[in-house]
Amino acid sequence: MSAPIQQEDFIQSIADAFQFISYYHPLDYIQALGRAYEREESPAAKDAIAQILTNSRMCAEGKRPICQDTGIAVVFLKIGMHARWDAKMSVQEMVDEGVRRAYNHPDNKLRASVLLDPAGARRNSRDNTPAVVHYEMVPGDHVEVICAAKGGGSENKSKMAMLNPSDSIVDWVLKTVPTMGAGWCPPGILGIGIGGTPEKALLLAKESLMAPVDIDELKARGPQNRIEELRLELFEKVNALGIGAQGLGGLTTVLDVKILDYPTHAASLPVALIPNCAATRHVHFHLDGTGPAKIEPPRLEDWPAVTWQADEQQATRVWLDTLTKSQVAEWQPGQVLLLNGKMLTGRDAAHKRIHDLLAKGHKLPVDFTDRIIYYVGPVDPVRDEVVGPAGPTTATRMDKFTRMMLEKTGLIAMVGKAERGPVAIEAIRDNRAAYLMAVGGAAYLVSKAIKAAKVVAFEDLGMEAIYEFEVKDMPVTVAVDSTGTSVHQTGPQEWQMRIGKIPVVKG
């Protein structure tokens, strides 16, 4: 029988794991992304993948977060039925203490995104606790641990359906994936759970994402059962949708499709889908009572040899401090811009507060006239940084505020992640404004373009406060121009036709 697992060893292992995955992609994921980069024919998608790969290596070198959304802490535990503990805290308490240490680490402070009282005050816990912990009792006297950090952009795209037993799972997935938009930051991985009960299917989908990327090996050896056949079929058909990196249109939307199944009721076919984004983050380790986990870092030389640089011949420099509405109206869909000067930031909570102030006739604490707003909630800076990783958040969450911001504050353009919905596009067109897309999954790379940062309003909102950033050559793409043309609609349609395996559905 093994030695007891010490409380401190368990806590420190959890803390080390969440620090580790904040700046190290799983090597299998990043190498699969490198292969996708080599295959990609869409210039916009290839550029986005190059930014993600470059960001990944920078984070591994600098030990700073891959994404500003450092996720909700998810822990899968397989506890040996004969395992012994030398601990006074509960397992949940030990996991939470490990998460607390990880997210408040002074050399790499991570963004606390967990809110207490979710249907009420939505108060930030300040240390990203509590974690979501899943338990399974298994034979043996060891403990197997998987730690994962799941960002809101991908979690929010989770889907679940109770199909009829005769329904096609493939048809449901192909119908569902396009409705997810690009807020889950493709290229990523689709986790699919089939069977059991509704909650079991969702848990299977989440757990399936913890397995290594191995679709190329599966293709090479061929499927050996129905689940492997289904994985290969979905992998080919989802990529044939042409959604591509960041939803810009391209050959690779998913790097793998994972499936776990479980017996189900004769009348039921529960199916759940959960995506892993470009910030795929998980690590596995065992504890046997001999001390804390030793997690081996990957070798930097194993990263794909891709380094993104702004193409100054193809990109247009924009000077934000003198920007006018007439200049914004001249931008073209898909045009690459390098932003220079001062921009404001704001996301969900700030927009809600602006709405409430305007509704009461109060003056806003900042002037948005002829300004650009960046939808971001940055990581706190450490050492000599002016700001921590500061990638874009999903823009559709601000759609309902877009007309208000454009018509009542003087705002003339916005920067965010992924597509805009019809309500926002209509407001952009009516006001001859524009929406610019930055690459999700490249937060540390983006932060290097930010040369100064200060909070200018709503400081009590923490990472959701309004900042003023001063940027130099921050790369963005015109995703919705002043006429309402969206590259997130035109790009996937073009590449779906080019791939030619699935009929294009317009409208």
Side-chain angles (χ1 to χ4, degrees):
M1 182 174 289
S2 63
I5 296 169
Q6 301 294 317
Q7 176 173 294
E8 179 59 25
D9 290 346
F10 184 77
I11 291 171
Q12 194 57 49
S13 297
I14 296 289
D16 291 345
F18 278 103
Q19 273 288 305
F20 183 93
I21 62 177
S22 75
Y23 44 74
Y24 285 132
H25 268 116
L27 193 56
D28 53 85
Y29 171 85
I30 209 66
Q31 291 180 337
L33 189 59
R35 294 191 292 272
Y37 174 83
E38 296 299 328
R39 293 191 302 267
E40 188 55 68
E41 298 174 12
S42 161
K46 199 174 184 79
D47 182 83
I49 295 173
Q51 289 193 43
I52 295 167
L53 287 169
T54 302
N55 180 76
S56 177
R57 192 174 64 251
M58 288 173 60
C59 293
E61 291 170 338
K63 291 185 168 52
R64 291 293 273 145
I66 294 164
C67 180
Q68 78 288 339
D69 184 346
T70 51
I72 188 168
V74 179
V75 178
F76 288 89
L77 295 174
K78 291 186 178 180
I79 302 174
M81 290 185 288
H82 298 292
R84 295 185 295 149
W85 297 84
D86 185 359
K88 294 182 179 179
M89 300 167 73
S90 71
V91 173
Q92 178 76 50
E93 288 170 339
M94 288 189 286
V95 169
D96 287 346
E97 178 57 28
V99 170
R100 190 172 293 115
R101 289 185 192 180
Y103 278 74
N104 286 323
H105 195 292
D107 291 331
N108 183 39
K109 187 173 172 61
L110 308 180
R111 197 183 84 181
S113 302
V114 170
L115 305 181
L116 309 176
D117 189 14
R122 295 180 66 82
R123 178 173 52 85
N124 198 301
S125 71
R126 299 292 182 181
D127 57 13
N128 225 52
T129 65
V132 176
V133 185
H134 303 291
Y135 303 86
E136 183 180 351
M137 301 301 294
V138 298
D141 54 8
H142 298 180
V143 175
E144 180 183 345
V145 185
I146 300 175
C147 292
K150 286 292 267 105
S154 61
E155 289 290 85
N156 289 349
K157 302 302 182 180
S158 301
K159 305 292 181 181
M160 195 273 157
M162 297 299 291
L163 302 183
N164 293 318
S166 60
D167 290 344
S168 166
I169 293 171
V170 172
D171 288 350
W172 179 77
V173 172
L174 294 180
K175 181 180 70 175
T176 300
V177 169
T179 70
M180 292 159 51
W184 61 281
C185 278
I189 301 164
L190 294 185
I192 297 173
I194 303 170
T197 52
E199 79 283 1
K200 181 66 174 179
L202 282 161
L203 186 56
L204 290 169
K206 178 65 68 65
E207 190 172 6
S208 75
L209 293 169
M210 304 300 115
V213 176
D214 65 351
I215 199 75
D216 287 341
E217 293 92 326
L218 177 56
K219 287 165 68 177
R221 69 165 168 80
Q224 297 175 348
N225 53 54
R226 175 56 187 146
I227 291 298
E228 291 184 346
E229 291 173 359
L230 191 57
R231 286 180 60 197
L232 290 174
E233 183 180 2
L234 285 170
F235 178 76
E236 180 179 359
K237 290 183 175 179
V238 170
N239 281 326
L241 293 170
I243 294 167
Q246 302 292 300
L248 295 169
L251 298 180
T252 300
T253 302
V254 291
L255 298 171
D256 204 341
V257 175
K258 298 296 188 184
I259 301 175
L260 288 176
D261 67 352
Y262 196 85
T264 193
H265 192 281
S268 302
L269 182 56
V271 183
L273 188 159
I274 301 178
N276 243 0
C277 63
T280 288
R281 296 167 293 201
H282 55 84
V283 68
H284 307 215
F285 60 87
H286 285 78
L287 295 174
D288 59 7
T290 59
K294 293 180 175 60
I295 305 172
E296 290 295 326
R299 303 184 312 161
L300 289 175
E301 53 265 37
D302 290 333
W303 257 252
V306 177
T307 301
W308 178 88
Q309 289 183 320
D311 188 338
E312 298 187 18
Q313 293 182 329
Q314 297 293 324
T316 302
R317 278 199 170 87
V318 171
W319 308 101
L320 298 176
D321 299 343
T322 56
L323 188 63
T324 65
K325 286 196 72 171
S326 60
Q327 290 174 315
V328 170
E330 293 174 357
W331 293 341
Q332 299 298 309
Q335 185 177 357
V336 178
L337 309 178
L338 298 175
L339 304 183
N340 291 268
K342 295 177 179 177
M343 65 166 57
L344 296 169
T345 78
R347 40 179 282 161
D348 310 61
H351 279 76
K352 176 64 165 61
R353 192 167 291 184
I354 290 168
H355 171 272
D356 293 347
L357 288 171
L358 290 174
K360 295 175 182 176
H362 295 166
K363 184 178 179 181
L364 298 181
V366 288
D367 185 1
F368 288 94
T369 304
D370 292 337
R371 302 293 295 272
I372 282 183
I373 194 168
Y374 181 27
Y375 301 147
V376 63
V379 176
D380 288 345
V382 298
R383 299 184 288 277
D384 60 347
E385 295 176 342
V386 299
V387 70
T393 197
T394 306
T396 49
R397 298 202 312 275
M398 270 54 73
D399 281 5
K400 65 182 180 181
F401 299 111
T402 300
R403 185 172 293 276
M404 172 198 75
M405 293 296 294
L406 293 175
E407 296 180 357
K408 294 187 178 181
T409 73
L411 190 74
I412 56 176
M414 301 146 283
V415 181
K417 180 183 80 175
E419 75 285 346
R420 303 308 299 265
V423 169
I425 291 174
E426 183 181 48
I428 290 167
R429 184 184 64 240
D430 290 349
N431 289 278
R432 302 285 288 168
Y435 165 63
L436 312 175
M437 189 212 79
V439 172
Y444 196 38
L445 176 65
V446 170
S447 73
K448 295 305 179 184
I450 302 169
K451 304 304 178 182
K454 63 179 179 181
V455 175
V456 294
F458 309 152
E459 185 173 6
D460 62 296
L461 296 180
M463 62 92 176
E464 295 210 63
I466 295 178
Y467 289 75
E468 184 177 71
F469 287 169
E470 185 169 345
V471 298
K472 181 178 180 181
D473 285 351
M474 176 179 167
V476 295
T477 299
V478 179
V480 181
D481 75 344
S482 61
T483 70
T485 300
S486 168
V487 299
H488 287 99
Q489 294 172 358
T490 59
Q493 284 182 359
E494 175 190 347
W495 281 91
Q496 190 171 328
M497 283 192 294
R498 286 197 187 193
I499 295 166
K501 294 181 180 179
I502 294 177
V504 177
V505 179
K506 295 184 178 181

